[in-house]
Amino acid sequence: MTGGRLLHELLEGDAVDPDAEAVTDGRHSLTGAQLVDRCARFGALLADAGVRPGDRVGVHLHCSTAAMVAVHGTLRAGGVVVPLDPDAPGPHLGGLIERCDVGVVATEAPTARLAPLADAGVTTFVGGGAVDGARTVPWDALDAVGPSPPADLSEDDPAYIIWTSGSTGRPKGIVHTHRSARRYAELTVDTYDLGPGDRIASSAPLHFDQSTFDLYAGPAAGATTVMIPAPVLRFPASVTQVLADERITAWYSVPSLLVQLHRRGALDERDLGALRWVLFGGEVYPAGQLAAMMELLPDARFSNVYGPAEVNQCTYHHLDAPPAADEIVPIGEAWDDTELLVVDRDGRPTAHAPGELLVRTATAMRGYWDDPATTHAAFRTVDGHGDRWYATGDLVERRDDGALVFLGRRDHQVKIRGHRVELEAVESVLLDQAGVTEAAVLPERHDDGDRLVGLVVGDARLEGRTLVGALRGLLPGYAVPARIVRVDHLPRTSTAKIDRSAASALLRELDGAADLLEIR
């Protein structure tokens, strides 16, 4: 469709005008030709730092033109992109860096935030503050080096690793190849009719898999990617101002952010006439909230996007009209190059009964980083249907019209602002805190998105602010409970496991009368 085989070759595809704006963040802007040149120079810096094809390179940046250069420059040099949350605590990032042996990190962070990364093995920082024992290469060094040629790679070489939490607290690194990621970009362009005239808003942080839409589908379409800076994202009215000023045509985000734009984004004061397509996914969009947003933006088309990070995307549902308040919005049907199978508890295909969704697709991951056992467990063989089916763990049901409806999870994984969180992983961190003897973590539904609440049993001297402060130093922000409630006991099943249904009922009974250690 666009020429070439590799992910970074999208920047020089047939759809790209080298003289047109390719990426902007409000402060800096690059044309297609300038972006290719900057990426080639970034690749030269990586080569000088000792990066060779297959080496992992950390990208510790918020949305910016620099982030686009670092990602595509790493790919061009043959490196494997490892997006790192710039706001995550050092111990969390240090574990990821050690797991995949990251030696070079692109960043703009100050020394204090980089020291834990150096302790974990980073030897070179491109940008950022000076760190003892590590080399620092300033960003303006790009102007002094000559562009390097692209590395000789295969479509099946790894392109990037997206990390998610694991059920025991051990993160899982999802490895996508140039082939799987590029096919995702191409299918996105076809499904949502993207082209050179589009201006795509990039609001997802790089370590969140939704960012792949902006990083790769934008270049595949020859569109302009508008990177929304992190400070702007803190204020919904500032975000909608960017959407208006930049004449954004395509938006993709979690529903909770759209709810905030609706409530506090001054939408009635903005001209969003250019916006033609709104994509949402990663969590359930309450039908009433969705309908209200659709009525405010009657000229935009809305689509529900579904797909675990392991397969990028696998289904879509275009809405023809605002849903009724009590309607369940389906996740829809498979897009091209994708097969879906619903199986019962025994792994047998079922036509209309609820079951687990299995996916076989051209956009599937290669596997989990350095974890063959978990990779093997993630894929299944189904009698009469072949192998390489990714087991999503999501329960679905097929409607009479063929569309799939999401029912929930088979395990204790939840989505918070689109990020996958394993409840047991948060519980294990809670249990490590002094004075806590039992802990359960549950999701709470709110109109503006789900939050976590922690139930704890322990020392009467537990101090909420200290407890939550400790969690913030160990967990990504989205995984820190919004509130913690002290209880006398946790309900258990006959096998001594936490009875989550009973715990949820207990929480509802205590609401308003509970001993709240912390609310934020």
Side-chain angles (χ1 to χ4, degrees), residues 15-33:
V16 178
D17 180 348
D19 298 320
E21 185 178 53
V23 60
T24 181
D25 59 15
R27 292 191 308 152
H28 304 101
S29 179
L30 297 172
T31 66

Side-chain angles (χ1 to χ4, degrees), residues 170 172 365 367-368 370-379 390:
R170 179 179 170 83
K172 293 183 292 186
M365 68 173 180
Y368 295 112
D370 196 28
D371 198 342
T374 304
T375 299
H376 178 75
F379 291 96
Y390 172 69

Side-chain angles (χ1 to χ4, degrees), residues 186-198 200 213 221 249-250 276-277 279 301 318:
E186 293 170 345
L187 287 173
T188 298
V189 171
D190 293 342
T191 303
Y192 305 110
D193 192 26
L194 302 174
D198 279 304
I200 297 172
F213 177 87
T249 64
R276 66 180 189 85
W277 216 310
L279 312 179
R301 189 168 196 183
H318 301 326

Side-chain angles (χ1 to χ4, degrees), residues 8-19:
H8 55 278
E9 291 175 344
L10 292 170
L11 298 182
E12 301 177 78
D14 298 337
V16 178
D17 180 348
D19 298 320

